[in-house]
Amino acid sequence: MSVTELLPLSWNQGFLRAFDQGDEAGPFGPRYIIVCGWRLTGPVDPAVLQEALDEVVARHEALRTEVVRSGDGHQVVHPPCPVRLTVHELPGDDRDRRAEELLNDAEAEPFPTKELPLIRAVLGRFDDDDAVLGLVAHHTAADEWSMQLIMRDLAYGYAVRTGHRPSPLPEVLQYRDYVDWERAGAGQDDGERSLAYWRDNLRGAQFAGTRTDHLRSAGVPKTTAWRRFTFPNTVTVAVKDIVKETRSSPFMVLLAAYVVYVGRREGTRDVVVPSFSSGRGPARFHDTVGSFFNFLPFRVNLEDCRSFKDVIASTRQACVGAYAHDLPFAQILGVAPELMSSVTRDDHAVVAFQVFKSPLGGDRGSAGAFEYSVFRRRQVSQWDGGDVPDGAMWHLEIDSSGDIVGSFAFNTNLYGQQTVGGMVGDFGELLKRLTADLHGPLEL
């Protein structure tokens, strides 16, 4: 018998259930995956890498957990099993582009949830001291925070096996420990207060849906395309200066600019934008691999905003309130049933917005024999990548060079390339203007 444990789905997977489209699409489909890449400098032994990968799967149960959605919904934890590691010898020319293409190819390959473990690896070698490693996980098993943990633990295992003595890894709790904590009613009083907050904050609110190019009912074939782009270093410098002046975060400043963009595009001053929280709860679960992320609505009213600084202040208040009352999205919908109504129309869709920063503080590390650095600056767009269940999603990061690098992932049955290109260009220009004149009059 391979089954070792049965446990209920975490409440934080309410987002997954809300967008469930069956086994062939949506968050339980074979394209709902996450891909992260790292550049490796130094000799890499694939056999040792395989052993370290397998150890990561043994350490983290979520990577070998089958999701059973029939009945009341539960998860089946299986014994450890080998990770599929594919090794490619890559040409030595234009290495950054070759690395991106390797990651794009890995992202385009379907990954059914029945194929355990729910993580794969691809190693592309340019020469004996230069390689790129791509880790691919199904999103029901891992979020972006988890991918950084997986790489950290992989580097530890590799270092130990090659005769090095890295600092010990922390003890790890499993995803089922989080489920037990949550099911036991942890923070029940806080939960009631949070429900009251969302009931009041979202009264009369609807997500600011974005008009689509194609009707849902038109039956256009769906893939999820990824339009990649960069914003120049001058914008990043301005954002960082504004962060200091307004005592905000890069996410708050960038979200504020996006709120202005959406308000102008959709002709509204009451803007509700979906984004994400880590959804992890207490610090003891910060080393746990799993699908913790949570879908959160951020509501900003532009009515009384006279400058971009005013928008940032309102956005900051919305962020502080949302994070302080973080609840699974399904529970929020329970007290704000009209929230999704605008984006279920035939000609509208929801567009999420996120700015990611590694929770582990740093994009570089050592695995003993080799050094690794995260591969953030992806610029090669692709037509068929990891799935967004419905609509589109902005994903922004600040890379080591200081540029803002981003992706706009969109369902091709809803949006066309020309529209998406225009959205990226328009938002970039607006961001440049807003950050150049924090106190100037705001045009809506």
Side-chain angles (χ1 to χ4, degrees):
M1 173 82 66
S2 63
V3 176
T4 59
E5 187 77 20
L6 294 178
L7 59 153
L9 285 169
S10 165
W11 295 352
N12 272 356
Q13 293 205 28
F15 163 76
L16 302 182
R17 293 197 297 274
F19 290 94
D20 189 356
Q21 300 170 31
D23 292 334
E24 298 304 319
F28 296 101
R31 295 190 178 277
Y32 190 60
I33 58 177
I34 180 170
V35 179
C36 292
W38 287 267
R39 198 64 174 266
L40 312 183
T41 303
V44 181
D45 184 334
V48 178
L49 188 65
Q50 179 73 63
E51 293 178 4
L53 283 164
D54 294 346
E55 184 178 58
V56 170
V57 170
R59 176 174 163 86
H60 296 289
E61 288 181 353
L63 300 175
R64 45 190 169 89
T65 297
E66 177 187 359
V67 178
V68 179
R69 306 196 314 285
S70 59
D72 60 354
H74 59 275
Q75 297 176 345
V76 181
V77 181
H78 292 264
C81 47
V83 176
R84 194 188 82 179
L85 170 62
T86 307
V87 181
H88 299 272
E89 302 298 332
L90 301 179
D93 62 310
D94 200 0
R95 295 187 177 191
D96 285 348
R97 184 175 182 85
R98 298 282 187 183
E100 286 196 60
E101 290 172 346
L102 180 76
L103 296 177
N104 283 0
D105 289 344
E107 191 170 349
E109 184 178 355
F111 198 159
T113 56
K114 296 292 185 182
E115 293 186 12
L116 299 176
L118 293 173
I119 186 168
R120 297 170 175 170
V122 56
L123 177 68
R125 299 194 294 191
F126 298 108
D127 56 42
D128 291 341
D129 293 306
D130 188 13
V132 60
L133 174 67
L135 296 179
V136 185
H138 200 279
H139 230 329
T140 56
D143 51 20
E144 289 210 47
W145 185 313
S146 298
M147 297 301 280
Q148 310 302 316
L149 294 172
I150 290 168
M151 186 61 198
R152 181 199 66 184
D153 294 0
L154 170 62
Y156 172 86
Y158 193 97
V160 168
R161 284 169 171 76
T162 52
H164 298 81
R165 299 179 64 182
S167 299
L169 293 174
E171 293 294 322
V172 63
L173 295 174
Q174 301 298 333
Y175 193 68
R176 57 174 156 170
D177 295 318
Y178 175 82
V179 172
D180 290 342
W181 168 80
E182 194 175 53
R183 292 295 190 192
Q188 196 166 32
D189 292 340
D190 289 341
E192 291 301 321
R193 284 192 291 270
S194 293
L195 282 173
Y197 167 83
W198 289 114
R199 186 181 294 110
D200 181 63
N201 181 265
L202 296 177
R203 187 171 288 114
Q206 296 181 0
F207 277 133
T210 299
R211 187 174 295 277
T212 59
D213 293 318
H214 310 297
L215 298 178
R216 296 176 183 277
S217 59
V220 177
K222 174 192 170 184
T223 64
T224 297
W226 290 71
R227 168 71 157 76
R228 297 192 168 97
F229 57 89
T230 61
F231 295 148
N233 183 269
T234 52
V235 174
T236 311
V237 171
V239 168
K240 289 181 176 179
D241 289 342
I242 292 172
V243 164
K244 293 178 182 178
E245 180 175 343
T246 60
R247 301 180 67 182
S248 302
S249 68
F251 171 71
M252 292 174 184
V253 174
L254 292 167
L255 177 60
Y258 184 65
V259 165
V260 175
Y261 170 77
V262 172
R264 288 183 176 183
R265 179 182 174 87
E266 303 304 323
T268 180
R269 299 202 175 190
D270 183 10
V271 181
V272 186
V273 174
S275 189
F276 302 90
S277 70
S278 70
R280 285 177 173 262
R284 64 180 179 273
F285 297 115
H286 287 187
D287 290 295
T288 302
V289 167
S291 185
F292 288 89
F293 74 96
N294 191 35
F295 207 53
L296 281 183
F298 294 81
R299 188 179 193 179
V300 180
N301 194 321
L302 298 172
E303 193 65 45
D304 297 324
C305 295
R306 299 293 176 259
S307 68
F308 184 46
K309 187 174 183 179
D310 292 340
V311 181
I312 294 172
S314 295
T315 302
R316 185 178 186 277
Q317 183 178 11
C319 290
V320 171
Y323 290 133
H325 300 92
D326 192 355
L327 285 177
F329 183 59
Q331 293 187 30
I332 295 174
L333 280 182
V335 297
E338 299 301 313
L339 187 62
M340 296 288 290
S341 59
S342 64
V343 296
T344 56
R345 291 163 49 186
D346 204 20
D347 61 346
H348 277 69
V350 64
V351 180
F353 185 90
Q354 66 173 331
V355 179
F356 183 76
K357 180 180 180 182
S358 170
L360 303 182
D363 293 339
R364 300 176 180 274
S366 171
F370 63 82
E371 304 290 323
Y372 64 89
S373 58
V374 70
F375 199 93
R376 296 200 187 283
R377 197 178 181 85
R378 294 176 66 181
Q379 301 181 79
V380 179
S381 298
Q382 64 186 119
W383 189 245
D384 190 5
D387 190 25
V388 171
D390 186 79
M393 176 183 69
W394 295 84
H395 181 118
L396 304 180
E397 301 181 60
I398 299 177
D399 77 354
S400 57
S401 71
D403 291 343
I404 296 175
V405 297
S407 299
F408 187 90
F410 61 98
N411 293 162
T412 58
N413 63 318
L414 300 177
Y415 299 98
Q417 293 189 65
Q418 185 174 354
T419 295
V420 168
M423 293 171 70
V424 170
D426 291 346
F427 177 56
E429 286 300 314
L430 179 61
L431 178 62
K432 186 189 303 182
R433 292 199 301 273
L434 291 173
T435 54
D437 190 7
L438 180 62
H439 303 279
L442 184 68
E443 297 179 6
L444 293 173

